[in-house]
Amino acid sequence: MEILTTALQMLNKYPLCDHCLGRQFALLGHSMENRDRGRTIKLLLTLEGHLLTYSIDEEGFSLLKAVAANGSFEKARDVLRHFNKRTRVKKRCFLCEGAFERIPSTVVNAVRKLGRYEFTTLLVGVKLPLEVAEREDEFKARFNVTHGESMKSQFSRDVGKQLCQTIKKEVDYSKPDVVVLVNPFADQVRLQINPIHVGGRYKKLIRGIPQSKWRCRRCDGKGCEVCSWTGKTYQDSVEELVGLPLLKMVQGEGMAFHGAGREDVDARMLGSGRPFVLEIKQPKKRYIELRELEQIINKQADGKIEVLDLHIANKEVVRRLKRAELTEKTYRTIVEFGRDVSDKELENIEEILSEAIIRQRTPRRVLHRRSDLTREKYIYKANTKRMSHNRVEMQIRCQGGLYIKELITGDEGRTNPSVASILEVKATPLQLDVLKVGET
Ligand SMILES: [Zn+2]
Ligand SMILES: [Zn+2]
């Protein structure tokens, strides 16, 4: 009986609780708990010990004593008591130091902390002190344990099981709402509340609103005379107009706004809107009425912006958005020329800029945040519509990443060809609107 022989060697040497003894044989048998494995082995050893007392009684008693003392096994103590043998007091488990017995109190602790949050799924993560993990490794090597399981994996499972039974929630290994981080040796429970993501599209109906909050450069957000003590360069931002109502609704700790690209502060975002995902960190609530949220945002934004098609999103959608930044865009701009332009010249612009590759060196105005490179961007179609003798409305459908203002002005030769260079005239974009982002 190899299992019993090995188990007895272990118990002769170290005090082991039912969980820790059973765990050394965890891969044997199915659908049972390590505690039951450990108990069964200790019970069989007790029977063996009792049997031995009838032949070689010293060996039988020493076996029973090992199981009673190092195994803290009541049934072995009962047999010894029957023979009027004294047994030693209960010892602390060499491997877990009694941590498995403390799981119920860990669970109570976790339940109390979780009570502040709304969530559906959870995952338990366990962190063990280094010396505990090392001690178990040495133990396994010494007894040549080949069908065991790690303490960490048993802890995570046991805590998870008891916790889920108590609060009636489910474990999710890939995308849990909450991760319960447990250090059973320090009796520590920490919660990692995963963010919620709400996706949608926004329209920016007026100019002068940046997509994300701009901190005042003078005071770095602390508040000064320049920013009228708001800490901000612009009073509003799409991020705040969209995000603050949700942040308040779910009582989150912070937010991040991810847009599929961004328009300039002075450009509107019209048409079907620009896709975005709003991420709220450490939300206390997770069950949101999206229709209600949409109404609140749009009402509070008071015609500055508008959101549509709100839906629950996730991290993967954010990754897709970042890639979508480079998809097709359609712009409308009003261009003013330094002199009158003829119909022939407008036709010329349409012809040269449609199905054309534009070589664009990073515009001077964004050099402070982007490296100085020359990029090639494609224009699918450029249309013009005369408004007056020197004013034209242009619509441009192009690859994402093309800077439209510079396509008009030429940016002192850094963008080529440009509207200005084609006609050899000063061209100024008066207004810029984004009409469409992507195919939707
Ligand atoms: Zn133990
Ligand atoms: Zn300031």
Side-chain angles (χ1 to χ4, degrees), residues 119-120 122 161-170:
F119 64 99
T120 309
L122 64 87
K161 215 182 215 171
Q162 292 192 31
L163 189 54
C164 286
Q165 273 170 6
T166 311
I167 56 180
K168 309 265 183 299
K169 301 280 179 183
E170 274 171 39

Side-chain angles (χ1 to χ4, degrees), residues 148-199:
E149 181 191 16
S150 75
M151 188 187 298
K152 192 175 157 138
S153 105
Q154 188 187 344
F155 254 121
S156 319
R157 192 179 56 244
D158 284 7
V159 174
K161 215 182 215 171
Q162 292 192 31
L163 189 54
C164 286
Q165 273 170 6
T166 311
I167 56 180
K168 309 265 183 299
K169 301 280 179 183
E170 274 171 39
V171 169
D172 183 336
Y173 291 95
S174 60
K175 284 186 215 129
D177 292 340
V178 180
V179 182
V180 183
L181 296 160
V182 176
N183 179 344
F185 287 78
D187 206 12
Q188 234 173 39
V189 175
R190 265 193 325 116
L191 300 185
Q192 175 196 311
I193 309 295
N194 285 336
I196 51 167
H197 298 86
V198 171

Side-chain angles (χ1 to χ4, degrees), residues 24 26 32 79 126 141 151 168 194 221 225 231 237 276 298-299 305 314 317 375 381 383 391 431:
Q24 312 310 323
M32 62 177 105
V79 177
V126 166
M151 188 187 298
K168 309 265 183 299
N194 285 336
E225 275 169 17
S237 64
F276 69 88
N298 289 342
K299 185 155 180 276
I305 62 131
N314 55 45
V317 181
R375 300 175 182 84
K381 190 118 185 67
N383 287 317
R391 259 187 204 195
Q431 301 182 345

Side-chain angles (χ1 to χ4, degrees), residues 274-339:
R274 185 187 294 275
F276 69 88
V277 172
L278 187 67
E279 178 182 341
I280 301 283
K281 290 162 186 170
Q282 306 203 46
K284 293 211 170 54
K285 307 210 174 299
R286 271 176 194 270
Y287 312 132
I288 320 161
E289 267 302 329
L290 290 170
R291 291 266 305 273
E292 189 192 329
L293 175 66
E294 198 167 305
Q295 281 168 5
I296 293 175
I297 292 172
N298 289 342
K299 185 155 180 276
Q300 291 182 1
D302 197 21
K304 293 171 188 160
I305 62 131
E306 200 180 301
V307 291
L308 49 155
D309 291 345
L310 293 189
H311 57 268
I312 296 298
N314 55 45
K315 248 193 263 172
E316 178 50 35
V317 181
V318 176
R319 271 195 287 274
R320 276 210 300 275
L321 268 192
K322 297 285 164 200
R323 289 198 292 272
E325 201 170 328
L326 298 173
T327 61
E328 194 180 308
K329 311 264 161 69
T330 305
Y331 296 91
R332 179 175 61 203
T333 178
I334 311 286
V335 182
E336 188 176 71
F337 292 97
R339 59 165 165 76

Side-chain angles (χ1 to χ4, degrees), residues 10 63 109 136 143 146 171 222 228 338 342 361 374 377 382 429:
M10 291 170 175
L63 192 161
N109 198 351
E136 191 176 48
F143 294 103
T146 48
V171 169
K222 288 185 203 77
S228 327
S342 67
R361 202 167 145 197
T374 299
K377 297 288 173 189

Side-chain angles (χ1 to χ4, degrees), residues 64-177:
L64 285 168
K65 276 178 182 167
V67 180
N70 275 352
S72 298
F73 198 59
E74 193 57 39
K75 300 269 187 291
R77 270 203 289 271
D78 288 346
V79 177
L80 287 168
R81 207 172 291 136
H82 183 75
F83 287 104
N84 284 322
K85 298 274 184 191
R86 280 195 323 142
T87 45
R88 282 169 295 163
V89 288
K90 196 174 173 177
K91 288 182 184 172
R92 213 157 68 140
C93 175
F94 171 68
L95 292 176
C96 75
E97 299 171 5
F100 280 100
E101 304 301 328
R102 292 195 299 271
I103 287 182
S105 88
T106 303
V107 168
V108 169
N109 198 351
V111 169
R112 192 169 40 83
K113 292 196 172 176
L114 285 167
R116 301 205 294 268
Y117 298 93
E118 259 180 19
F119 64 99
T120 309
T121 56
L122 64 87
L123 184 62
V124 172
V126 166
K127 184 148 176 55
L128 297 180
L130 191 60
E131 68 268 20
V132 171
E134 280 176 357
R135 191 165 60 205
E136 191 176 48
D137 285 347
E138 279 168 29
F139 179 92
K140 281 181 167 165
R142 174 171 194 157
F143 294 103
N144 196 18
V145 173
T146 48
H147 294 86
E149 181 191 16
S150 75
M151 188 187 298
K152 192 175 157 138
S153 105
Q154 188 187 344
F155 254 121
S156 319
R157 192 179 56 244
D158 284 7
V159 174
K161 215 182 215 171
Q162 292 192 31
L163 189 54
C164 286
Q165 273 170 6
T166 311
I167 56 180
K168 309 265 183 299
K169 301 280 179 183
E170 274 171 39
V171 169
D172 183 336
Y173 291 95
S174 60
K175 284 186 215 129
D177 292 340

